[in-house]
Amino acid sequence: MRRIRGAFRRAGGAYSSGPSGSSGSSGEEHRLGGHFGALVAFGAYTVAWGAAVRMRKVPLPERPEPWDVLFAAAATFRLGRLLSKGSVTSPLRAPFTRYEAASGPAEVSESPRGDGVKATVGELVTCPFCLSVWLTTTVTGAALLWPKATRTVTGGLSVLAAADAMQLGYDCLLQENAK
């Protein structure tokens, strides 16, 4: 274990953006370890979904239906934004983040806080791109286990994504007409 920890420290030091590969106080070496932990957790999460699908002996489709892909993408986008940026979901992120400012309609900007796992979770929950990977795995696994319920949920979230786009478009038109 000591060898592995030493190898991570060396890799983190060489990877960091400091002068001559020194990490200084940037915390990049620490974040590299946190990111590795997140990769391991994601791998375990994916294996758990795969095991659940296998235990239920669900046949895998030859290919996904195009509409399912479209709705899953829209739902993942909308849920990722809601969970990572939504002002209404900020209490879920608060243990791991620090409020920075309002950043858009019903959205906030936050930064990770703390060290170790807390900082890594803070990075994950404030990044819609990072959350989308986890959400895609969730939606895919759920679609295999509960296709009708998943279509209902992804359909609803897709409607929300479309409604948000219309709201933003309408606001842009109002601002343009006010000029």
Side-chain angles (χ1 to χ4, degrees), residues 32-167:
L32 194 61
H35 290 166
F36 180 73
L39 284 171
V40 170
F42 178 73
Y45 185 70
T46 303
V47 166
W49 272 109
V53 169
R54 185 174 174 94
M55 283 179 20
R56 293 262 315 265
K57 297 181 177 159
V58 175
L60 297 178
E62 192 67 33
R63 65 182 168 276
E65 294 296 325
W67 285 109
D68 287 339
V69 172
L70 181 64
F71 289 145
T76 298
F77 162 78
R78 187 61 197 107
L79 192 54
R81 295 293 305 180
L82 180 64
L83 292 174
S84 65
K85 300 290 183 188
S87 58
V88 72
T89 56
S90 60
L92 301 174
R93 298 183 305 274
F96 311 101
T97 62
R98 177 173 292 103
Y99 176 82
E100 300 287 334
S103 62
E107 289 193 347
V108 295
S109 177
E110 297 164 324
S111 59
R113 65 182 170 103
D115 294 322
V117 172
K118 186 181 229 181
T120 300
V121 172
E123 277 190 73
L124 176 66
V125 300
T126 58
C127 174
F129 299 99
C130 304
L131 275 181
S132 289
V133 175
W134 291 75
L135 293 170
T136 299
T137 301
T138 304
V139 168
T140 301
L144 291 170
L145 295 175
W146 311 287
K148 290 180 183 178
T150 304
R151 281 189 187 107
T152 301
V153 171
T154 58
L157 287 166
S158 296
V159 168
L160 181 59
D164 288 349
M166 288 180 214
Q167 292 287 359

